Amino acid sequence: MNERKPDDSPLPPSELLSLDHSQLYMRRKLTSSDSNLSVYNFDLLSDENPHIPEDNAPLQGSFSSIVDTYNNLEYTPNSITVDMSQKTCSHCKDGFSNEKIVNTNGELWHTQCFVCAQCFRPFPEGIYYEFEGRKYCEHDFQVLFAPYCGKCGEFVIGRVIKAMNANWHPKCFCCEMCNKQLADYGFIRNQGRALCHDCNAQVKAVGLGKHVCHKCHGVIDEKPLRFRGEVYHAYHFNCTACGTELKSDAREVKSRPGLLANDVNELYCLRCHDKMGIPICGACRRPIEERVVTALGKHWHVEHFVCAKCEKPFLGHRHYEKKGLAYCETHYHQLFGNLCFVCNQVIQVDVFTALNKAWCVHHFACSICDQKLNQKTKFYECDEKPVCKKCNDKFPAEFKRRLRKAHQYTPQRAPV
Amino acid sequence: MSKARKALAEAREIKNPELDLVDKGIHSFEELPGLFNMLNITRLTLSHNRIKDIPPSIAYLVNLEILTLFNNQIEELPVSISSLPKLRILNVGMNRLDSLPRGFGALPVLEVLDLTYNNLNENSLPGNFFMLETLRALYLGDNDFEVLPPEIGQLKNLQILVLRENDLIDVPKEIGELTRLRELHIQANRLTVLPPEIGNLDLVGSKSILKMDFNPWVTPIADQLQVGISHVIDYIRSETYRYLYNRHISTRGPPPPKVNDKSRKISRIKQQG
């Protein structure tokens, strides 16, 4: 960054400035030191004002002072009354006849010789820029020597920011992430981008897979503390109850019921949090702020108390417990077998169990004639289905023989 | 008035949706006039009769959930039976079926299908038979299957599969996909080995039944069976068995001969008249 102001000495370069990097600046510095390079405001001496006071008082019609961009000197032109016959024009070295002459900084010019070295036209509004002994109009000086902004492409008038191998208006040199002006804060080059310190830290942290503390903007190396939707170093906070400095295991206690946002959340150390008696969900191990379900000797978030088989939440529906696990009605019976063989529904009251199956009391019947059976009725078995005596008697003789043979071979499967 | 008509009239009078017409000497549905107008019936039991034909009008009984036709003389079922929208339990055991009608697999909610003691084999099943996804029990005992189609694996809800006393030479490995199976009856077939995939199933728990006697098992399986079913399953799950099985499949000779004498089955006897 390179800056010069007409009425200021150059600012000390900040850590990211390097004046030496600017060739233009070096050139100008060189010239200004040995040739008083300046922009001058000058005046035309006029015949109508032959009597010019000696005391350097500004003349009527003199140009108001104009702040120059590149030079630190400002001159008030003077009209000087001298013996014209002895003087020569600084440009063409000829003498002056009785005509208008220009006097600037002790040099005299024919008016037709006092023109821009580039376009040979008079200087608009009398402002010229001198560089390496030549004078230029503002336009040509800028075209030839002035830097243009890397962002907007306009010439940079006034403060020039030299950075990232280009020149910038102070307004145009911004952080590429947050668009903050960097001129007075400094910047960090990150993969070809100019970033402010905060954004750079963020990018770096994300690259490392770490969080950035919302308070100090430093990278969080240990576990981050989440609070009101942001992440922090835990040590920036103290327990709301006991005041000790927090660690990352601190708990954010959500707002009281009815309060919406989390801006009234508070932080507690683990010990104080436990003392507050907030139940912990048996599934996710997080505190339960809303409705609590208590079952199987634990507390649960409503939506975390689910069937061990299908994992759907019970949401207040009846559940069945078996060996420390909870099941929905369907899966409990599917797994532990109390669906009726006939209606395939959960058996509500009394169950008949036989032949590795279960029946509703009113559905227990002969599998062949659908006659109802009760617990006192004698029945036979065929393919593990119940058969009443009547039906068994009606079986063809060859079939009965085969059944008998099979039962004798496996006596444990004899008729019940 | 015949016994059948009397029962029918009585049921109509008290609007009983469950109709029992067991052992009434019925030869034909013509003896049951107006039956197909009783749209309210949910169960129809016609066991131990002499019915030969089921008329297509059976499909009018749109509320029918249970249809039991055990021990009749039915030779084929009407195609229309597959359109019964609520039929859950169909028992056509001990009849003379040698095929199932085209489109039978379209029954939308069939849960229990009993085809015990008929003359069915793998070629008797219509193409869409294994689309009966709701099926939880399939009784095919006392039939003539030599091969169980591998599509059996599509019956994901099957809990009971009975193939007792068929002529099965093989059980397909797809049976291992029937994860809910807890009853398997394959006794009295021509099986020598079982696919190792059967080890995936829970057939040895207290809630399970595996019957596999009376098969010409290879010696290691027969030896384990002597000790108990659970030993057979443990053995089938072992690497040793997997090796033996692969070797057996690649080198085995002709299948064992049929041993079940079916000539006396009443499903084979053709009635006169």
Side-chain angles (χ1 to χ4, degrees):
Chain A
M1 214 160 7
N2 180 1
E3 62 179 67
R4 297 184 70 186
K5 290 183 184 172
D7 45 2
D8 270 352
S9 56
L11 284 176
S14 73
E15 78 272 23
L16 37 118
L17 311 180
S18 175
L19 286 171
D20 301 334
H21 290 166
S22 164
Q23 283 190 351
L24 188 63
Y25 172 77
M26 291 305 284
R27 278 204 312 260
R28 287 190 190 131
K29 200 173 137 199
L30 210 71
T31 335
S32 65
S33 60
D34 55 26
S35 71
N36 243 353
L37 169 68
S38 304
V39 168
Y40 303 92
N41 297 320
F42 62 97
D43 195 2
L44 291 173
L45 296 176
S46 99
D47 282 341
E48 285 87 70
N49 287 314
H51 304 290
I52 296 159
E54 298 257 6
D55 60 351
N56 289 357
L59 286 174
Q60 213 183 12
S62 74
F63 293 94
S64 62
S65 66
I66 291 169
V67 173
D68 170 72
T69 312
Y70 304 103
N71 302 286
N72 53 357
L73 293 170
E74 186 182 320
Y75 277 72
T76 314
N78 300 326
S79 315
I80 311 158
T81 315
V82 282
D83 177 9
M84 286 299 156
S85 59
Q86 301 300 311
K87 304 292 178 184
T88 55
C89 169
S90 294
H91 178 65
C92 63
K93 312 296 178 199
D94 285 348
F96 298 101
S97 53
N98 192 15
E99 57 187 336
K100 286 182 183 175
I101 58 168
V102 179
N103 168 14
T104 171
N105 201 26
E107 289 176 336
L108 299 176
W109 311 71
H110 293 110
T111 44
Q112 69 272 19
C113 291
F114 191 65
V115 292
C116 168
Q118 182 73 11
C119 65
F120 304 112
R121 283 184 291 199
F123 303 106
E125 298 182 45
I127 298 166
Y128 69 88
Y129 293 74
E130 189 170 313
F131 184 63
E132 291 179 340
R134 294 164 187 272
K135 294 179 172 63
Y136 300 92
C137 66
E138 179 171 356
H139 176 260
D140 285 324
F141 181 79
Q142 285 178 350
V143 168
L144 290 171
F145 306 108
Y148 62 92
C149 173
K151 186 177 180 191
C152 64
E154 301 288 319
F155 294 118
V156 185
I157 313 293
R159 225 173 139 197
V160 187
I161 310 298
K162 282 198 80 71
M164 308 291 293
N165 299 326
N167 302 293
W168 315 82
H169 292 111
K171 267 189 206 155
C172 290
F173 188 59
C174 302
C175 170
E176 286 186 36
M177 284 180 69
C178 68
N179 223 25
K180 189 169 96 174
Q181 286 188 32
L182 297 171
D184 299 316
Y185 300 99
F187 72 100
I188 296 182
R189 192 186 183 114
N190 187 316
Q191 295 180 321
R193 299 186 300 173
L195 300 180
C196 67
H197 288 281
D198 289 352
C199 289
N200 180 64
Q202 235 172 56
V203 169
K204 222 163 93 184
V206 169
L208 292 167
K210 285 179 177 162
H211 294 280
V212 176
C213 176
H214 193 62
K215 186 176 176 122
C216 70
H217 305 296
V219 174
I220 306 172
D221 283 320
E222 61 278 13
K223 242 185 109 196
L225 177 66
R226 290 175 188 281
F227 179 49
R228 295 181 184 176
E230 302 287 354
V231 287
Y232 297 91
H233 288 113
Y235 53 69
H236 293 308
F237 298 94
N238 297 84
C239 172
T240 307
C242 69
T244 54
E245 186 183 295
L246 293 179
K247 292 188 211 129
S248 59
D249 62 0
R251 290 290 159 86
E252 181 177 12
V253 173
K254 294 244 171 76
S255 50
R256 270 83 55 195
L259 290 171
L260 258 181
N262 47 13
D263 55 354
V264 283
N265 294 358
E266 301 281 11
L267 286 168
Y268 293 88
C269 69
L270 203 53
R271 197 162 157 265
C272 289
H273 182 266
D274 287 348
K275 278 198 287 190
M276 291 166 72
I278 291 173
I280 302 295
C281 174
C284 70
R285 308 279 164 200
R286 305 293 304 171
I288 307 167
E289 270 93 18
E290 297 86 21
R291 257 181 77 195
V292 182
V293 179
T294 305
L296 302 166
K298 289 176 188 161
H299 301 293
W300 313 84
H301 284 112
V302 177
E303 64 273 22
H304 288 164
F305 185 50
V306 299
C307 168
K309 173 84 177 154
C310 66
E311 301 194 336
K312 288 194 185 117
F314 300 114
L315 301 173
H317 292 291
R318 176 195 276 205
H319 71 274
Y320 295 77
E321 296 181 7
K322 178 104 176 178
K323 290 180 181 167
L325 295 171
Y327 299 89
C328 67
E329 190 164 285
T330 309
H331 286 117
Y332 177 79
H333 291 292
Q334 199 182 82
L335 289 167
F336 308 110
N338 273 331
L339 291 176
C340 170
F341 179 70
V342 170
C343 67
N344 203 31
Q345 302 295 307
V346 175
I347 300 166
Q348 295 297 345
V349 197
D350 288 328
V351 185
F352 265 30
T353 49
L355 309 174
N356 194 41
K357 298 173 184 66
W359 283 266
C360 306
V361 171
H362 59 284
H363 281 145
F364 188 54
C366 169
S367 63
I368 286 171
C369 67
D370 295 327
Q371 285 305 299
K372 300 278 178 286
L373 302 171
N374 60 45
Q375 65 263 57
K376 292 199 182 114
T377 328
K378 192 180 175 189
F379 66 89
Y380 296 79
E381 171 269 325
C382 176
D383 291 336
E384 299 290 321
K385 294 208 292 183
V387 176
C388 70
K389 183 166 188 312
K390 246 175 155 176
C391 286
N392 193 68
D393 289 348
K394 278 187 173 296
F395 281 153
E398 66 90 24
F399 187 55
K400 277 196 262 194
R401 216 167 22 248
R402 282 191 280 139
L403 283 176
R404 201 157 44 239
K405 184 185 155 201
H407 285 152
Q408 278 165 357
Y409 185 81
T410 49
Q412 73 271 21
R413 302 215 202 283
V416 183
Chain B
M1 198 190 253
S2 73
K3 285 194 283 183
R5 283 193 185 216
K6 213 170 151 186
L8 202 60
E10 197 180 300
R12 195 178 285 130
E13 199 169 306
I14 61 167
K15 291 192 171 128
N16 186 357
E18 305 203 337
L19 198 49
D20 284 300
L21 296 166
V22 177
D23 197 12
K24 304 283 189 210
I26 302 166
H27 286 78
S28 158
F29 276 80
E30 285 166 20
E31 297 164 37
L32 306 167
L35 170 68
F36 296 134
N37 294 328
M38 296 167 70
L39 300 188
N40 63 321
I41 58 175
T42 57
R43 176 167 68 77
L44 177 59
T45 304
L46 289 160
S47 307
H48 308 304
N49 283 293
R50 286 179 207 138
I51 298 167
K52 282 190 174 144
D53 283 312
I54 308 290
S57 351
I58 191 90
Y60 293 153
L61 301 175
V62 290
N63 285 305
L64 205 56
E65 294 184 27
I66 300 176
L67 177 58
T68 307
L69 298 161
F70 193 89
N71 191 17
N72 278 278
Q73 295 164 14
I74 301 164
E75 290 178 11
E76 60 179 8
L77 296 171
V79 171
S80 68
I81 202 166
S82 63
S83 65
L84 284 167
K86 295 184 181 171
L87 191 65
R88 294 191 298 106
I89 300 180
L90 176 61
N91 187 343
V92 207
M94 206 166 277
N95 276 283
R96 296 173 185 179
L97 297 176
D98 46 26
S99 69
L100 290 179
R102 187 164 42 86
F104 185 82
L107 278 162
V109 293
L110 193 64
E111 296 176 9
V112 179
L113 177 59
D114 194 331
L115 297 165
T116 307
Y117 207 108
N118 278 284
N119 306 317
L120 300 167
N121 61 45
E122 54 277 14
N123 301 315
S124 315
L125 305 177
N128 69 347
F129 182 81
F130 293 102
M131 291 171 74
L132 291 166
E133 265 187 49
T134 49
L135 212 57
R136 54 184 165 89
L138 178 57
Y139 292 90
L140 293 170
D142 260 319
N143 277 287
D144 306 327
F145 285 86
E146 293 195 21
V147 174
L148 182 62
E151 290 86 351
I152 190 78
Q154 296 171 19
L155 301 177
K156 297 287 181 217
N157 285 305
L158 209 59
Q159 298 167 31
I160 299 171
L161 177 59
V162 179
L163 290 157
R164 169 186 54 80
E165 292 184 270
N166 277 264
D167 298 314
L168 284 182
I169 299 163
D170 244 328
V171 172
K173 66 176 192 316
E174 285 76 9
I175 203 155
E177 296 165 15
L178 302 176
T179 50
R180 297 185 65 184
L181 200 68
R182 55 184 175 84
E183 241 186 72
L184 179 61
H185 306 227
I186 46 172
Q187 65 272 49
N189 279 284
R190 298 149 73 196
L191 299 169
T192 52
V193 288
L194 286 171
E197 286 80 4
I198 216 162
N200 299 342
L201 304 177
D202 178 20
L203 290 170
V204 290
S206 62
K207 292 274 179 188
S208 304
I209 290 173
L210 172 57
K211 294 186 179 183
M212 54 185 288
D213 297 318
F214 306 112
N215 277 293
W217 298 117
V218 294
T219 319
I221 293 184
D223 289 349
Q224 297 297 327
L225 192 54
Q226 288 284 315
V227 204
I229 287 288
S230 64
H231 291 80
V232 177
I233 293 295
D234 283 347
Y235 174 62
I236 282 173
R237 287 172 179 164
S238 70
E239 272 306 309
T240 323
Y241 178 70
R242 196 173 285 272
Y243 174 74
L244 176 139
Y245 175 81
N246 290 333
R247 205 184 49 182
H248 181 88
I249 289 297
S250 59
T251 63
R252 71 171 162 188
K258 295 185 185 181
V259 290
N260 296 335
D261 176 19
K262 300 179 178 180
S263 60
R264 304 178 81 87
K265 277 173 72 179
I266 61 163
S267 63
R268 298 289 163 97
I269 301 162
K270 295 283 174 188
Q271 290 278 96
Q272 275 96 57

